Amino acid sequence: EKGTYPHYMLKEIDEQPIVIRKIIKEYQAGDNELKLDEDIRSAMKAADRIYIIAAGTSYHAGLVGKGFIEKLAGIPVEVHVASEFSYNMPLLSSKPLFIFISQSGETADSRSVLVKIKEMGHPALTITNVPGSTLSREADYTLHLHAGPEIAVASTKAYTAQIAVLAILAADTANAKGIELPIDLMKELGIVASTMEVLTDQKEEIEQLARDYMATTRNAFFIGRSTDYNVSLEGALKLKEISYIQAEGFAGGELKHGTIALIEDGTPVVALATQENVNYSIRGNVQEVVARGANALIISMRGLEQDDDAFVLPKVHELLTPLVSVIPLQLLAYYAALHRDCDVDKPRNLAKSVTVE
Ligand code: M6R
């Protein structure tokens, strides 16, 4: 039930710190130990390449997860949109492991890939919020998101849960392979949970930004580099699906190869700047769009902030920034939709789970 909340989406945004704490509890075995099935551990260790298959927001979480698995566990990862993979399968490695990410566990596009790769004899792990769902039953292994029911069509807490569980899976695999971790993951996830609470208490600031930047615009751009680019795709998807503002996420460096032609006086450009190694270059991209009249809304992280930034996130571990940078983007989409009188929880033309291909 949504209780005193006007919308499920807002309730689910607010539940994110609780979900992260629940995930920590469910997956922590003891000091520096993670509780993952031995079978999953072996499957991860045996894989020479991982194929992540998903759709929509779950695909965006997969893009972030690729970074974790490659950086922490040293296994190459490809992330594919399910509906494309089905009909255009790439050459597979000799020992592939498939990871299906799906909040509902019922997405038909993902299931069609699962059926095909099972026929080919490959192992599959499903990461889902609904154990017992089709994708969970038909895969060899399941990891549970523990996010609680997600009712709003726009996915919020499932995205952050997926990212947290993917980080845990990557860290567990690194442990199993004897690779030293550059992060005390459970401790840093605890810091993320507290930071999420700070952010969900800043609704008024974000509501004001939604008024200032999104009230009347027909389009909006989200830019970032590296992991911020992955989050910008999610920010754009959130905004478009519930507020019907045409929104696109772009890699900062790619703008000048065409998209910058769309920037006009007043076009909102939301820029993420949470990564030290690309802070300088994303700032350069912001200048390029501002010079063409864009209305830049910069979301940065403590330590990397500059004077004109609209919103500064408290500092969290560099690997985990998507878990916090997405929150202002979720709230921005929520308030933009609200101010435009859109049906926040049930946007037009969309279903919560897409069970047709
Ligand atoms: O249940 P799934 O995670 O498989 O769903 C995938 C997409 O349909 C879903 O994430 C969709 O993009 C959301 N409406 C995004 O907010």
Side-chain angles (χ1 to χ4, degrees):
E1 253 317 297
K2 62 179 191 263
T4 54
Y5 280 94
H7 298 99
Y8 280 108
M9 184 181 176
L10 198 61
K11 173 172 180 269
E12 290 162 5
I13 289 172
D14 272 3
E15 282 171 352
Q16 291 176 107
I18 304 166
V19 172
I20 297 299
R21 291 201 179 101
K22 168 96 174 141
I23 289 171
I24 296 173
K25 197 164 146 256
E26 292 291 336
Y27 287 105
Q28 188 153 40
D31 272 0
N32 289 324
E33 276 191 52
L34 300 173
K35 208 191 314 173
L36 242 73
D37 261 14
E38 204 49 58
D39 292 354
I40 296 180
R41 209 165 268 162
S42 309
M44 289 290 288
K45 265 176 88 178
D48 65 352
R49 184 172 285 260
I50 288 171
Y51 296 82
I52 293 181
I53 310 292
T57 287
S58 299
Y59 169 72
H60 295 156
L63 295 173
V64 177
K66 168 186 163 78
F68 296 150
I69 296 171
E70 292 191 339
K71 285 183 194 139
L72 301 182
I75 308 171
V77 180
E78 291 180 22
V79 193
H80 291 274
V81 164
S83 58
E84 279 297 304
F85 192 93
S86 262
Y87 304 102
N88 197 6
M89 209 178 278
L91 267 183
L92 299 180
S93 65
S94 53
K95 287 184 192 152
L97 170 67
F98 281 80
I99 299 183
F100 293 86
I101 307 178
S102 176
Q103 188 285 130
S104 63
E106 300 298 341
T107 297
D109 291 322
S110 299
R111 174 157 191 257
S112 116
V113 179
L114 177 57
V115 169
K116 281 190 187 142
I117 64 103
K118 285 317 297 170
E119 276 167 15
M120 295 162 79
H122 299 309
L125 159 67
T126 291
I127 301 180
T128 183
N129 207 20
V130 188
S133 58
T134 308
L135 285 167
S136 165
R137 278 185 280 111
E138 295 181 359
D140 304 278
Y141 323 103
T142 297
L143 275 178
H144 187 189
L145 293 174
H146 295 288
E150 190 182 66
I151 310 290
V153 164
S155 182
T156 53
K157 62 178 178 171
Y159 174 76
T160 42
Q162 286 161 346
I163 290 174
V165 169
L166 283 160
I168 290 170
L169 177 65
D172 184 79
T173 308
N175 287 341
K177 292 174 81 175
I179 303 173
E180 201 184 327
L181 287 173
I183 176 173
D184 180 346
L185 183 60
M186 291 313 203
K187 179 179 149 239
E188 296 295 340
L189 282 175
I191 294 172
V192 161
S194 312
T195 307
M196 285 174 152
E197 253 161 19
V198 173
L199 293 171
T200 51
D201 281 346
Q202 285 178 288
K203 294 191 181 69
E204 277 168 27
E205 283 95 316
I206 306 286
E207 173 156 27
Q208 190 56 47
L209 291 174
R211 272 189 216 291
D212 293 346
Y213 287 82
M214 302 296 171
T216 55
T217 191
R218 288 186 55 237
N219 59 1
F221 294 96
F222 289 71
I223 62 171
R225 284 175 177 250
S226 164
T227 199
D228 287 336
Y229 166 50
N230 298 332
V231 181
S232 74
L233 295 174
E234 175 59 10
L237 176 60
K238 278 305 76 100
L239 187 69
K240 71 181 120 182
E241 76 175 325
I242 61 171
S243 76
Y244 316 140
I245 296 170
Q246 187 185 3
E248 293 303 331
F250 275 96
E254 192 63 11
L255 275 173
K256 60 182 172 300
H257 296 288
T259 309
I260 202 163
L262 293 170
I263 304 289
E264 294 175 343
D265 240 6
T267 306
V269 175
V270 181
L272 291 177
T274 76
Q275 302 289 305
E276 193 172 2
N277 65 333
V278 290
N279 196 31
Y280 178 79
S281 39
I282 193 68
R283 301 285 176 173
N285 299 136
V286 170
Q287 280 173 11
E288 288 158 12
V289 293
V290 167
R292 273 105 187 153
N295 204 5
L297 190 173
I298 304 171
I299 300 178
S300 64
M301 180 149 293
R302 187 68 64 214
L304 302 175
E305 76 271 30
Q306 294 186 5
D307 283 350
D308 291 340
D309 296 355
F311 196 85
V312 181
L313 301 156
K315 191 161 173 44
V316 300
H317 192 285
E318 194 163 62
L319 276 176
L320 302 181
T321 57
L323 292 170
V324 298
S325 59
V326 77
I327 292 184
L329 303 187
Q330 294 168 343
L331 287 168
L332 194 67
Y334 174 79
Y335 287 113
L338 199 66
H339 297 160
R340 287 167 166 252
D341 282 331
C342 299
D343 188 344
V344 171
D345 281 341
K346 286 199 170 67
R348 68 186 181 208
N349 309 341
L350 290 171
K352 180 64 184 163
S353 49
V354 185
T355 52
V356 290
E357 275 183 59

